[in-house]
Amino acid sequence: MKELKNILKAEAVRPLFKLFRIGLEKESQRITPEGCLAKTDHPKKVASRDIHPYIQTDFSETQMELITPVFDSSEETLRFLGALHDVALRSLDNEERLWPLSMPPILPEDDRDIVIAKLSDQGDVNYRRYLAKVYGKRKQMVSGIHYNFEFSEELLKEMHTLYFSTMSYETFRTEVYLKTSRHYLRYRWLITYLFGASPYAKEGYFIDEAPDEPIRSIRNSHFGYTNRPEIKASFESLTDYVSDIEHLVDNGDLIEAKEFYSSVRLRGADNLDELLEKGVSYIELRNIDLDPFAEYGTTLETLEFLHLFVMTMLWIDETEHSDKLLTDGVMLNDQVSLEHPLTKTALYEEGVWLMNQMTEMAEALNLSDKEKTLINEAKEQLEAPEKTLSARVVLAEEKEVAQNKELGTELGNVYYQRAFERPYQLSGYRQMELSTQIFLFDCIQNGIKVEVLDENDQFLKLTFNGRVEYVKNANMTSKDSYIVPLLMENKTVTKKVLAKAGYRVPLGKEFSSVAAAEARYELFAKKGFVVKPKSTNYGLGISIFKDGATFEDYQKALEIAFKEDSDILVEEFLEGTEYRFFVLDGKTRAVLLRVPANVVGDGVNSVEELVAEKNKDSLRGSNHRAPLELIQLGDLEQLMLKEQGLTISSIPEKEQIVYLRENSNVSTGGDSIDITEEMDESYKKIAESATESLGAKVCGIDLIIPNRKNKGCKNDNSYGIIEGNFNPAMHMHIYPFAGVGQRLTMDVLRLLYPEMTK
Amino acid sequence: MKELKNILKAEAVRPLFKLFRIGLEKESQRITPEGCLAKTDHPKKVASRDIHPYIQTDFSETQMELITPVFDSSEETLRFLGALHDVALRSLDNEERLWPLSMPPILPEDDRDIVIAKLSDQGDVNYRRYLAKVYGKRKQMVSGIHYNFEFSEELLKEMHTLYFSTMSYETFRTEVYLKTSRHYLRYRWLITYLFGASPYAKEGYFIDEAPDEPIRSIRNSHFGYTNRPEIKASFESLTDYVSDIEHLVDNGDLIEAKEFYSSVRLRGADNLDELLEKGVSYIELRNIDLDPFAEYGTTLETLEFLHLFVMTMLWIDETEHSDKLLTDGVMLNDQVSLEHPLTKTALYEEGVWLMNQMTEMAEALNLSDKEKTLINEAKEQLEAPEKTLSARVVLAEEKEVAQNKELGTELGNVYYQRAFERPYQLSGYRQMELSTQIFLFDCIQNGIKVEVLDENDQFLKLTFNGRVEYVKNANMTSKDSYIVPLLMENKTVTKKVLAKAGYRVPLGKEFSSVAAAEARYELFAKKGFVVKPKSTNYGLGISIFKDGATFEDYQKALEIAFKEDSDILVEEFLEGTEYRFFVLDGKTRAVLLRVPANVVGDGVNSVEELVAEKNKDSLRGSNHRAPLELIQLGDLEQLMLKEQGLTISSIPEKEQIVYLRENSNVSTGGDSIDITEEMDESYKKIAESATESLGAKVCGIDLIIPNRKNKGCKNDNSYGIIEGNFNPAMHMHIYPFAGVGQRLTMDVLRLLYPEMTK
C-alpha cells in the first residue's frame, strides 16, 4: 500500500482519527471461593446460551465469555464490560467467582473433570471435542481478551477520497485493514512486552515441557494456545488470506476456518466466501492477556493505548514484503513472550524506534496530551521492565505466596465482594436512575439486547426475539397509550375520570386565583381539607388541615400553594393510611407502606447514635443513588424532635419509635415497607380496576385506607384514591426497608416480551 | 313541606348554595339575510339529527334547537351556548341567520309553507303533525329558552341530614323540587315581568284574536304556546303529578306526557313510571323568552338571577295549598304577560314583597355583592318598567321601524357577521389554543359529544358511538403509544432511530460540557454546521455556520447554546429549504413552507405602510390568538432592514420582496404557505415512511430539501430530516397565509372515530 502519512495528516482526515468502534470479548474461568475450578454448570440465572448475546461459554463449561456490543469509544465499551461483570458475578451459583488471570487455576488431574461446554448445538460440542483431541483440554483453558477494532466509516471515506486510485471504497477499506494487520502481526511483540500477563501457570497446565522461570506471556508464547507453526495464512491480499485458509481446511489441517488462531483475524462476514465478497470491515486482535489487577480484565489506559498502537500500524510505511513481516512477527513475539518479566527486552532498539513512530504520529496528528502521556508511559516501560504488567504480576504473586495465599484467588474474592456491595447499582451505569440500572441488569441477565440511546434521559432500546422496544425511565413503554400519562399528569382530569367511573376521590375545587379560592372558603372551612398546587413536586406547597382552618390559615395555605403553581386544588382531607399500589398489566404487583423517617429506641443509644446506626444499612445512600435515603438530622428533624420534647442526645426507651419527619417520602429518609402479601385482595381489585378506568398499563396508584382490616368496597368510603402516577418509582419496591422485594423490572420486561421464558 | 330557612342558613348547608347544575335548550328560527323564514333544509354541514347531541330541530324544519350539556355554573353553560352558535351560524347554507326573537319572523300565508321538521323517526314526525292539527302550526313557531336546573347533591344531602324526618333522601329530594316548582309556578309572573321579550308578533302569527298593543310576553300569555286551561296537573305530590298527566293522556286530552306544556316540568326519567320510581332529579323551566339583545339569546345576568329566583322559591315558606298556588300562578302570569311593557305592573306590591324575600335570603345566606346587585337591579325594574326587557324591545323596534328596518333582521345580521370575524376561534373557548378551538368546532359540528376536562391543559373528553376518547392539545390521543413522543422529544434518540432505519439525518455529536465540545472543534471547523441546545425552544440558542467557523466563533456558539440546556448538539448544516410535513395515520395530510416575515413592494407605500396593510389580514393577531402573528417593526426587524440598506420609511420597488426577519417562524410574523398539492409524491413517501420508523400516528416532520423539482430518494442526499414533532401545530395548516387550508382537525377526528360518516 502507498504511503498514508500525508493522507492521515490531511485537514479533512486528521479530526476523524478519534472516531472508531470497538467491541470486546473476555473469557475467564469460574472458580470456587477457594480458587478451585468450579464443578457447576453455567449459571441458570442467566438466559440460555442459545440466545444470550452477551454471556456465553468458550471451550469449557467453566469458561465464561462476556461479549460487549460495539461502541464508539473505549470508555463505553469498558463500561458495558463492567455491567456484564456485575450481572455475571451476581448470577453465579454457590458464591463462585471469576478467575482473574489468563492462565487457568489449578486444573484437575483427570482430563474428564475438565468439562466441555454443554451447548445445545451438537456441532458446537463436536468442535470443542475436536479441539480437546488436537490441542489437549488444558491449553483450551487459557483465557484472554479479544479486541475487535473498526475504523470509522467517515475516516475511511475521507482517506479513500484523498488516496487517488481507481480502487473502490470497499477494496480500499480491505487494503487498510490488511496493512494494519500485517504491521500488527509484525510488531505485536511490543503488546506482549507491555501487557503480557501470564508469567506462570498453575499445576495441571503443563504436561511435558515447561519454562523454568516466569516469562512475559505463556499464553502468547509457543507454550500457549496457538496453531502449529506450519498453519499460516498470507495477509498480502484478501484473496490470498481466504484461499490459504480454505486450503488448510481442505487439507484437514484445520477443521474449519475459525480454528485459525492468528493474533489478527480479518472480520466482516459469517464465512470466507462472504468475506471475499464484502471485504474486511473490522479486525479481531486476539493476543491480549487478562490484566488481573483490573476488575474487568483490562483498563481504559490499555484499551486507549491499543487504539493508538493500531493507528500506528496504519501510520508507519511498509518497507518489507508481507510474508517476511509475518514470519518475523511470529519469531519476535515468541522471543519476547519467553523473556523473564524483570529483564530488559532484547528488542529494546526496535522498541525505541516503534515508540518514536508513535510519537511522530501523535505530533503530526496533533493528538492530545492524554494520548502523548500514554505513549510516554509505554516508553518508560521499555527502560524499566519492572513496570510492565507481567513483572507486576510476578511481584504480586510472590507477595501472596509469602503469606500462603494465591494472587488469583485473592483478587477474585475482592472483585466478587465489590459486585455485591450495592446490588441495586450496575457498574458502568451508576449515573442513571436506580430503576433503570436494575432494569438494565435484568435485560442483560435475561439475554435481551440493550442499547442506551440517551443516558441522561434514561432512554433504552431493547431487542429480543427480533422485536425492538424502547423504554424510558424503566417503565415508560409502547404498551401505554400517549394520552394516559397526560391524563394522570393532570390531577383534576384524573379525578374527573375516576369519579365518573364510580371511584371515591377527594372532592374539591380547582382555583386559578387567590380571590376565587377565598370566595369559596366556606365550602371547606369546617371540614378536614388539603390545599395543594395542581402539579405537585415532591410534596412542595401542600397544607393539610385535618379539622378545618381559620380564614387566615386558609389564606396562608393558598399563598404557599400559589407559589408553586398558577392553579391550585382545595380538596377534602381523607382520613387513613396511604398505600402505594403498583399495578402493571391489570395486576397489583406490589403494595408499599411508606413510613416517615424514624428510629426505634433501645434504651441505650441516643437519637443521634440510633440514626447513625440505621444509616449504616447499605440500602441507604444520598441523591437517589440508593433505594433509601440517609436520615438527616437537620433543622426540620430537630424541630420535630423538639415538638416531642427530645433532642438528638435524648436516649429513647426500648421499643420507643421516634419520628424525625412528618412526611413519609422515602426521599427524606422514610422507610419503605412491602406489604404485597398482607394487603387484602379487595383493595388490590380496586387499585386494578381503577387503573383500568384510567386506561393505564403501568400505574402507581395511591389509596388512602382508613382500616385495611375491613374489606374494601368500590362504592363506599372504605378507601379514597389520591392520584395515579404514570412513571411510578420501582426501586423502593424492589429493595424495600422491610418486607419482600418485588422485582417489578421483570414485570415490565414480561409486559414487553411475554414470550420470555423466565 | 316544613320550613327550610333555618336549614338553608345552617353552617353546613349555606356554603353549598352556589353549587348547582344547569343546562339550556334554545330554539330559534332560521331566516334569510332579508329576514324571511328560510326555505332550506336543516344544514347538511352539521351531523345528522339522528345522532346530534347539541344541534337539533324543534317543531319546524326551520326551528333550530341548540342544546347545551349540563354544567356546574351559568357561565360555563353560556360559554357552550356561544360555541354552539358559532358552529350553527357557520354551518348554515345560503348565509342564513338565526332570528333572535321568540315570536317568529313573518310567517308564510300558506300553512303548507311551514314545514314540519324532516326527522327520520316517523313517531317524531307524527307527533309534530298532531301538534300542528291541535294548536295550529303558527303557535308552534314560537321559540324560547328552557332552563334546566338541578340542586347539587351536596346541598340536598346536607339539607336532608338536617331535616330530621323519616323521609328517604330520594323522597326528600323530590319534595324539594315540588316545593320549588309550586312556588315557581305561583310567582313566575315576576320572570315574565322582568324577562318577557315577546311584545309583538309579525304578520302571519295571529289568525283571529290578537292584543291591540304591545304586551310584556305574547309567548307567556294565553296567546302563546300553552295547553288549554283545563289541562293541568297537581304539584302537591309526585304521585298526583304523574297520575294527573297519565289521566290526561288516557282521556285523550294529551297525545303523550310531553305535550304537557307547564312552565315547570319535573324531570329525571325517560317516562312517568320511571320518574315515579326514581324521583325528581331536576326541573325544566320553560317560560324564558329569547333576549334579542343577547347574541346567544340570554345573558349571564339573566341566568344568575334565575338561579337566585329558583333558590328563593325554595326559601320562602309555604302558606297556601298547592292547588291555589298553581291556579293563582296561571292567572297572575297571564295578567302580567298582557300588560303594556311600559306600564307599572298591577302586581307591584307583591313584587316588592317577593324582592324583599330575595334580599332577606341574600342577607341570611351571606351572598356576595354581585348577587345583591342583581337583586337590586331587578327591584329597580319594578319601579321603572321602561328598564324591563319587553320595554327595551318595544323601544328598539320602534327605532328600527322609523328607519324602515326590522329589529330581528338587523340583530340577526349583526350576530351572523360576528360569527365570521375570526372563523378560527370558537366563542366561549377563546382562551384555549387555536388548534383546540378548531378541534372543538369540528367535534360539535360532527355531533361528537365533547367535554373540556381541563381548559388550561387543553384536555378534552370525546364521546361518539358509545366510545370515549381523550384528546390533549388537539392531537395528543390514545392512538399514539407513550414511548413515541418521548422518543421524538429527544433529538439525539430521534436521529439514532432514523439513521438506523436508513434516513438521512444531520451527522453530529452531543456534548455535556464546553471542554468536550471544544476538544472536537476540528471535526466541524471546515464544514457548514449548527450548534444548538439539545432541547430547542422556539429556536433559542441556535447558531448556524453555513461554511465553518473560527474557533472563537465556535466557542461563542457553544456558550450561547449551553445557556439554554445542559446538553448541546453540534450537527452538520444541511443546505436547502425546510418544509413541514404533517403526517397522520401513515399519510401526508399537509405540507407547509414557512417564509420569514416580509412585505412585497408596490412602488408607492413605505415599508411601514406595507406592514400595516399586511397586518390588516384578519388571520393575523397576537399571542397565538390567530393563525398568523402580526409583523413587528422592532429592533430585530429594523436591524434586518438596515442590513439591506433600508429603513421603515423606504419605499420598496414594485414586486420587491423585503424580508424583515431571518427566521421563518410563524410566531415572529412569518408567512405560512400550503403546498400540499405541489409537493412531489416522493418526498411525501419519505416523510410517511420516516414517521412509520418513529412509530408515530401523528407527526410534524421537518425535511430539508435542496431542490424539490428533483425526485426525493430515501438513500441519497436529496433530503435530510431535521426533527419529528409529536404535537405539531395544526392551525397554521388549517388557515395558511397562502394556499389551500387543510382541515387537519378533521383528520384527527377520523383517526379517533373512523366510523364517522363525514
Side-chain angles (χ1 to χ4, degrees), chain B residues 645-682:
Chain B
L646 298 169
T647 72
I648 58 170
S649 314
S650 310
I651 296 174
E653 284 168 38
K654 206 170 159 71
E655 306 290 301
Q656 183 188 346
I657 301 177
V658 177
Y659 288 101
L660 295 150
R661 277 279 195 159
E662 277 208 86
N663 66 311
S664 59
N665 299 47
V666 168
S667 60
T668 51
D671 294 339
S672 53
I673 298 167
D674 179 87
I675 51 159
T676 311
E677 279 301 310
E678 297 89 316
M679 180 55 74
D680 194 86
E681 206 54 36
S682 57

Side-chain angles (χ1 to χ4, degrees), chain A residues 351-420:
Chain A
V352 171
W353 173 82
L354 204 48
M355 295 311 307
N356 287 340
Q357 287 290 311
M358 287 188 90
T359 304
E360 178 197 301
M361 178 185 77
E363 294 294 342
L365 302 189
N366 196 16
L367 298 190
S368 71
D369 288 347
K370 195 179 84 179
E371 284 142 338
K372 288 175 187 163
T373 305
L374 280 174
I375 295 168
N376 288 335
E377 280 169 3
K379 262 188 195 163
E380 278 172 37
Q381 291 185 43
L382 270 184
E383 309 296 335
E386 70 280 6
K387 290 188 176 168
T388 61
L389 191 55
S390 58
R392 288 163 53 218
V393 173
V394 169
L395 297 172
E397 175 76 354
E398 274 173 16
K399 237 171 153 179
E400 295 291 343
V401 169
Q403 299 179 56
N404 272 326
K405 289 181 185 166
E406 192 183 48
L407 184 66
T409 310
E410 292 306 312
L411 288 174
N413 286 348
V414 169
Y415 303 152
Y416 176 82
Q417 303 300 345
R418 260 186 226 163
F420 285 90

Side-chain angles (χ1 to χ4, degrees), chain A residues 745-757:
Chain A
T745 39
M746 281 305 298
D747 294 316
V748 177
L749 270 184
R750 279 186 216 102
L751 176 69
L752 296 173
Y753 297 111
E755 68 267 39
M756 261 177 50
T757 49

Side-chain angles (χ1 to χ4, degrees), chain A residues 163-201:
Chain A
Y163 194 67
F164 297 114
S165 137
T166 53
M167 237 183 252
S168 73
Y169 168 68
E170 284 71 22
T171 308
F172 174 77
R173 187 181 63 196
T174 292
E175 288 302 321
V176 164
Y177 281 115
L178 283 167
K179 177 187 171 184
T180 308
S181 300
R182 289 190 295 264
H183 276 159
Y184 190 84
L185 287 166
R186 171 61 181 80
Y187 298 111
R188 73 180 186 273
W189 70 261
L190 184 67
I191 299 301
T192 302
Y193 177 81
L194 294 169
F195 304 114
S198 47
Y200 53 83

Side-chain angles (χ1 to χ4, degrees), chain B residues 506-725:
Chain B
L507 296 173
K509 291 260 160 213
E510 185 181 333
F511 299 107
S512 303
S513 74
V514 172
E518 285 183 357
R520 289 304 183 89
Y521 166 64
E522 281 198 333
L523 265 182
F524 314 106
K526 301 291 170 189
K527 303 171 194 162
F529 69 93
V530 180
V531 179
K532 60 181 175 188
K534 191 169 162 194
S535 320
T536 47
N537 263 326
Y538 302 108
L540 287 176
I542 299 181
S543 303
I544 299 173
F545 301 101
K546 294 190 184 176
D547 312 293
T550 64
F551 187 66
E552 287 66 36
D553 286 345
Y554 178 65
Q555 279 185 310
K556 257 181 240 160
L558 294 176
E559 194 184 306
I560 291 166
F562 272 113
K563 265 188 200 152
E564 302 297 325
D565 201 343
S566 57
D567 298 297
I568 65 143
L569 301 175
V570 184
E571 282 183 353
E572 68 173 313
F573 172 75
L574 301 184
E575 283 284 1
T577 307
E578 186 178 332
Y579 299 91
R580 161 63 59 88
F581 288 68
F582 189 100
V583 179
L584 182 142
D585 205 15
K587 209 171 157 311
T588 300
R589 308 286 172 157
V591 185
L592 201 75
L593 169 64
R594 284 163 288 184
V595 179
N598 68 83
V599 286
V600 181
D602 57 8
V604 179
N605 288 297
S606 69
V607 169
E608 194 168 15
E609 287 159 345
L610 291 167
V611 166
E613 187 56 34
K614 193 164 178 176
N615 279 344
K616 282 185 189 160
D617 187 344
S618 70
L619 289 182
R620 292 198 190 261
S622 40
N623 295 320
H624 306 279
R625 295 267 161 263
L628 297 168
E629 288 287 307
L630 293 170
I631 302 174
Q632 307 292 321
L633 281 174
D635 291 348
L636 277 173
E637 287 82 2
Q638 300 207 26
L639 191 69
M640 181 89 182
L641 283 172
K642 199 175 162 190
E643 280 168 13
Q644 301 166 78
L646 298 169
T647 72
I648 58 170
S649 314
S650 310
I651 296 174
E653 284 168 38
K654 206 170 159 71
E655 306 290 301
Q656 183 188 346
I657 301 177
V658 177
Y659 288 101
L660 295 150
R661 277 279 195 159
E662 277 208 86
N663 66 311
S664 59
N665 299 47
V666 168
S667 60
T668 51
D671 294 339
S672 53
I673 298 167
D674 179 87
I675 51 159
T676 311
E677 279 301 310
E678 297 89 316
M679 180 55 74
D680 194 86
E681 206 54 36
S682 57
Y683 294 105
K684 292 182 189 171
K685 287 267 170 300
I686 289 171
E688 288 159 11
S689 60
T691 298
E692 201 188 328
S693 298
L694 294 170
K697 276 282 173 187
V698 177
C699 181
I701 191 158
D702 293 331
L703 267 67
I704 294 275
I705 303 177
N707 184 354
R708 69 180 168 93
K709 302 289 164 230
N710 301 335
K711 291 246 177 249
C713 172
K714 183 184 165 184
N715 304 313
D716 67 19
N717 285 356
S718 56
Y719 75 98
I721 301 180
I722 299 296
E723 61 181 42
N725 297 277

Side-chain angles (χ1 to χ4, degrees), chain A residues 14-15 453-454 456-457 459 470 476-478 480-483 485-487 490 496-497 522 534 567 726, chain B residues 14-15 453-454 456-457 459 470 476-478 480-483 485-487 490 496-497 522 534 567 726:
Chain A
R14 205 179 55 197
L453 291 182
D454 192 312
N456 295 337
D457 213 20
F459 218 116
Y470 299 97
M476 297 152 98
T477 72
S478 69
D480 262 308
S481 100
Y482 185 17
I483 198 70
L486 298 171
L487 189 157
N490 185 311
K496 281 185 183 173
V497 170
E522 280 199 333
K534 192 169 161 192
D567 297 296
F726 58 89
Chain B
R14 207 178 54 197
L453 292 182
D454 192 312
N456 295 337
D457 213 19
F459 218 116
Y470 299 97
M476 298 151 98
T477 72
S478 70
D480 262 308
S481 100
Y482 185 16
I483 199 71
L486 298 171
L487 189 157
N490 186 310
K496 281 185 182 173
V497 171
E522 281 198 333
K534 191 169 162 194
D567 298 297
F726 58 89

